């Protein structure tokens, strides 16, 4: 009999998958684009084999989506939602492969659905949801190979591994963990299997273009890691990291904990024990390295699937087996707005205000710098971009000679708002030195620039000295937006040559 990646489709699993997809699409435009989504859509306008802080897969996907769909916001939400639906089938399959029955598959699908991280990760369009999918696919390939001995699953693992590295370099931690744990198990013979090495070669060839790009550009990934440690990871500590490992799944954590116990302690899971140690390796390593809490998300579906299998074996009472998933679903409902923007901005701020004022809970509202705000950072990053594009359009309309104008944004979110949302106004792409925008800004101009739209929270002193006429067109007015107060300035009548100033300013940017 030919091996199948997924078991015969169970109608209950299919319904759960469809509910997940539909729920996300129903609320896809309750908020605006996420800051990062604007960056990735901008990458899609400049397809390449490498970018400043991420491998190229996300940019390639954005390129294709923008070729097919006229509404980029719907396109990226649809992609993430559909991948979330596929994830339901993957965790259900893993639960069965780990020795569970149909009940374990339904529990795993339920546990993933109610997990806060899954709600949000597969709503937003970021490398994270692709990472979780590819890690889960890699682990399913490994389990399938263990259960069947079929080499085709090794090749499938190699392909998934290559694309995982093309999506996020963090996948290297998963593969390092496998290299450290598998030799200590009964599965060490895999290293003598030539198909394993064919799989590794396949993964390497898939990843090779980006590796060459990194070498040519001086391995920018290390600069990014250094910047993360200086600006964001410095706020992480072991206590916060471990606490958030339970908060990210929220109700789903009862599956994560059960799954880890099952993999590490159950006699029935003996052949999969190394997956428990692999999970611990990922968690502990990231904790010691002060990684962001969500860096561990790639292993969560595996643990949730194992949790479904654990409860399948632990619960023998028919009533308990029936009530357990129903209680889990009911318990998860109050926390849904934490993971999914089921209301507009006003409804969400009211929800989080009630959590704080009535229950003293500020869960989810801590930003990367450790500060507490009215909304979770992801939601605050989904407000204000439409207003920014509209203000930029207002400034652009005031320019007579548009060929002699330039739009500059200080950060990638601002630049992405102009470049992506601004299309409906006919705005040209914004220029920025931030993130991968620095790879495609113009070094020279065919004409002398006489009008300059400058987007930033503050007007730089160098810009102030360069222009004799500067007008503040407007600022982001929503206090719940992370970009609150950012201004759009129209600068005209340069006192000296702008082109000369630009050449001097960009001379050291690589």
């Amino acid at each position: 009999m030919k091996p199948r990646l997924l078991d015969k489709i169970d109608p209950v699993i299919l319904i759960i998958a469809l509910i997940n997809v539909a729920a996300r699409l129903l609320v896809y435009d309750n908020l605006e684009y996420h800051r990062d989504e604007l960056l990735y859509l901008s990458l899609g306008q400049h397809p390449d084999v490498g970018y400043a802080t991420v491998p190229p897969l996300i940019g390639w996907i954005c390129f294709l989506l923008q070729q097919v769909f006229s509404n980029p916001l719907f396109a990226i939400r649809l992609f993430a939602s559909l991948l979330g639906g596929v994830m339901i089938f993957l965790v259900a399959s893993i639960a069965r492969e780990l020795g569970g029955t149909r009940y374990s598959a339904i529990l795993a699908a339920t546990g993933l659905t109610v997990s806060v991280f899954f709600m949000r990760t597969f709503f937003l369009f970021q490398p994270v949801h692709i990472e979780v999918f590819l890690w889960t696919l890699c682990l399913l390939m490994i389990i399938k190979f263990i259960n069947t001995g079929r080499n085709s699953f090794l090749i499938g693992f190699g392909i998934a591994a290559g694309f995982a590295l093309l999506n996020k370099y963090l996948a290297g931690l998963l593969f390092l963990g496998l290299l450290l744990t598998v030799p200590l198990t009964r599965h060490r013979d895999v290293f003598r299997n030539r198909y394993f090495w064919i799989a590794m070669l396949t993964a390497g060839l898939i990843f090779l273009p980006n590796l060459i790009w990194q070498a040519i550009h001086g391995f920018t990934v290390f600069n990014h890691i250094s910047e993360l440690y200086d600006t964001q990871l410095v706020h992480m500590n072991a206590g916060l990291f471990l606490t958030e490992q339970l908060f990210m799944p929220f109700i789903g954590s009862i599956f994560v904990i059960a799954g880890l116990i099952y993999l590490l302690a159950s006699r029935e899971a003996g052949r999969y024990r190394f997956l428990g140690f692999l999970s611990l390796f990922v968690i502990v390593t990231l904790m010691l390295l002060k990684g962001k809490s969500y860096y561990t998300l790639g292993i969560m579906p595996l643990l949730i699937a194992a949790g479904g299998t654990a409860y399948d074996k632990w619960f023998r009472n028919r009533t308990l087996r029936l009530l357990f998933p129903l209680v889990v679903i009911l318990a998860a409902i109050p926390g849904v707005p934490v993971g999914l923007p089921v209301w507009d901005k006003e409804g969400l701020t009211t929800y989080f205000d009630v959590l704080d004022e009535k229950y003293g809970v500020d869960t989810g509202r801590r930003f990367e710098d450790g500060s507490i705000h009215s909304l979770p950072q992801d939601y605050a990053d989904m407000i204000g971009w439409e207003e920014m594009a509209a203000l930029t359009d207002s400034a652009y309309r005031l320019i007579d000679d548009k060929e002699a104008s330039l739009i500059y944004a200080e950060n990638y979110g601002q630049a992405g708002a102009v470049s992506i949302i601004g299309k409906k106004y006919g705005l040209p792409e914004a220029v920025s030195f931030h993130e991968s925008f620095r790879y495609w800004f113009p070094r020279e101009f065919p004409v002398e620039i006489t009008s300059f739209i400058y987007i930033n929270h503050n007007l730089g002193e160098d810009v102030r000295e360069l222009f004799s006429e500067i007008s503040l067109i407007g600022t982001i007015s929503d206090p719940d937006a992370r970009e609150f107060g950012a201004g759009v300035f129209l600068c005209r009548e340069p006192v000296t040559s702008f082109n000369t100033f630009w050449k001097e300013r960009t001379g050291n940017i690589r």
Side-chain angles (χ1 to χ4, degrees):
M1 185 174 67
K2 292 183 178 180
R4 294 175 299 186
L5 175 58
L6 299 176
D7 301 319
K8 182 179 179 181
I9 294 179
D10 186 304
V12 176
I13 302 300
L14 177 60
I15 290 171
I16 295 174
L18 291 176
I19 289 173
N20 272 278
V21 174
R24 287 162 172 79
L25 293 181
L26 284 172
V27 301
Y28 88 93
D29 59 351
N30 277 359
L31 297 175
E32 303 172 24
Y33 291 95
H34 189 282
R35 174 192 303 271
D36 293 349
E37 292 171 340
L38 292 169
L39 168 64
Y40 302 133
L41 286 167
S42 298
L43 299 185
Q45 296 182 345
H46 301 267
D48 204 339
V49 294
Y51 299 106
T53 59
V54 292
L57 184 59
I58 192 83
W60 297 350
I61 295 171
C62 280
F63 170 77
L64 294 174
L65 290 176
Q66 290 176 93
Q67 303 307 306
V68 175
F69 294 92
S70 59
N71 182 346
L73 181 61
F74 176 76
I76 59 178
R77 295 279 184 268
L78 177 65
F79 182 91
S81 300
L82 290 175
L83 208 58
V86 173
M87 281 295 300
I88 296 298
F89 290 102
L90 291 186
V91 295
S93 184
I94 290 176
R96 295 294 294 267
E97 291 293 331
L98 292 176
T101 66
R102 177 175 183 247
Y103 180 71
S104 73
I106 294 173
L107 282 186
T110 303
L112 187 64
T113 297
V114 302
S115 296
V116 168
F117 82 84
F118 179 68
M119 297 180 199
R120 190 179 300 181
T121 300
F122 286 85
F123 176 76
L124 298 175
F125 185 84
Q126 299 172 323
V128 182
H129 75 284
I130 304 172
E131 174 185 51
V132 173
F133 165 73
L134 289 171
W135 279 42
T136 305
L137 185 59
C138 283
L139 293 168
L140 177 58
M141 293 290 99
I142 292 170
I143 297 169
K144 284 278 191 179
F145 172 73
I146 291 172
N147 290 346
T148 67
R150 294 185 179 273
N151 293 320
S152 58
F153 289 116
L154 283 179
I155 302 302
F157 168 78
I159 295 171
F163 281 104
L165 288 169
L166 274 185
N167 178 65
K168 283 191 73 174
Y169 302 117
L170 184 60
L173 181 64
L174 173 67
F175 306 138
L176 175 61
L178 287 168
L179 288 174
L180 292 175
T181 55
V182 172
L184 305 177
T185 73
R186 68 184 77 173
H187 309 300
R188 67 177 68 91
D189 287 347
V190 72
F191 295 108
R192 292 199 290 265
N193 186 330
R194 67 188 180 93
Y195 283 95
F196 169 79
W197 296 107
I198 293 173
M200 294 302 96
L201 178 61
T202 302
L205 290 175
I206 293 172
F207 178 57
L208 183 60
N210 181 243
L211 183 62
I212 294 173
W213 185 94
Q214 282 286 344
I216 292 173
H217 290 81
F219 290 96
T220 61
V221 60
F222 295 117
N223 294 330
H224 177 55
I225 293 173
S226 177
E227 182 180 341
L228 281 177
Y229 269 100
D230 292 339
T231 60
Q232 297 177 23
L233 302 185
V234 67
H235 301 290
M236 292 301 301
N237 60 70
L240 176 62
F241 180 89
L242 293 175
T243 299
E244 291 189 346
Q245 298 310 302
L246 297 179
F247 168 72
M248 290 187 301
F250 195 47
I251 297 300
S253 63
I254 63 175
F255 290 90
V256 172
I257 295 171
L260 188 58
I261 292 173
Y262 178 74
L263 290 173
L264 292 175
S266 172
R267 181 176 300 175
E268 295 167 294
R271 65 196 312 199
Y272 314 112
R273 185 91 63 223
F274 74 99
L275 295 175
F277 288 109
L278 172 66
S279 300
L280 287 178
F281 170 80
V282 170
I283 294 171
V284 172
T285 300
L286 288 171
M287 180 185 71
L288 295 176
L289 293 176
K290 302 187 72 174
K292 293 183 183 181
S293 302
Y294 74 83
Y295 287 177
T296 63
L297 290 184
I299 61 167
M300 291 294 177
L302 166 69
L303 296 178
I304 289 172
T309 302
Y311 288 121
D312 180 19
K313 295 182 179 298
W314 296 342
F315 294 164
R316 294 304 178 187
N317 182 278
R318 178 175 295 182
T319 302
L320 180 59
R321 288 168 73 90
L322 176 64
L323 290 178
F324 179 65
L326 297 178
V327 171
V328 166
I329 292 170
L330 291 175
I333 290 175
V336 169
V338 178
L340 201 62
V342 294
W343 299 302
D344 59 13
K345 195 266 297 187
E346 287 70 24
L348 290 168
T349 53
T350 299
Y351 169 83
F352 285 101
D353 285 343
V354 169
L355 281 184
D356 189 15
E357 294 170 5
K358 290 191 66 175
Y359 305 103
V361 175
D362 60 16
T363 300
R365 296 187 292 125
R366 185 183 300 275
F367 281 19
E368 289 172 334
D369 62 3
S371 57
I372 304 296
H373 295 264
S374 59
L375 288 172
Q377 180 172 307
D378 278 334
Y379 292 169
D381 267 332
M382 301 170 76
I383 303 169
W385 306 115
E386 291 283 350
E387 183 180 14
M388 181 168 289
L391 287 172
T392 305
D393 177 60
S394 297
Y396 194 65
R397 288 174 180 271
L398 296 174
I399 298 174
D400 294 326
D401 187 1
K402 292 179 171 51
E403 294 296 322
S405 67
L406 180 69
I407 303 174
Y408 172 86
E410 187 66 19
N411 66 53
Y412 67 77
Q414 299 163 352
V418 174
S419 301
I420 302 302
I421 302 173
K423 284 183 178 180
K424 65 184 178 183
Y425 299 111
L427 294 175
E429 279 193 70
V431 170
S432 180
F433 304 143
H434 195 210
E435 261 278 352
S436 290
F437 280 87
R438 69 175 180 259
Y439 293 129
W440 56 75
F441 71 82
R443 297 282 177 173
E444 297 180 346
F445 304 98
V447 298
E448 183 68 31
I449 299 298
T450 57
S451 298
F452 183 59
I453 297 176
Y454 181 77
I455 306 173
N456 197 1
H457 280 80
N458 299 296
L459 187 63
E461 193 60 35
D462 52 352
V463 176
R464 192 188 306 275
E465 293 176 354
L466 181 61
F467 294 92
S468 61
E469 180 184 324
I470 299 176
S471 304
L472 175 61
I473 303 302
T475 61
I476 302 304
S477 58
D478 194 324
D480 294 313
R482 278 189 81 192
E483 287 292 324
F484 174 60
V488 175
F489 301 87
L490 176 57
C491 310
R492 293 185 282 197
E493 302 294 334
V495 296
T496 59
S497 169
F498 178 89
N499 293 32
T500 300
F501 162 82
W502 185 259
K503 188 173 182 179
E504 294 173 351
R505 176 70 174 82
T506 60
N508 296 324
I509 298 177
R510 297 288 183 268

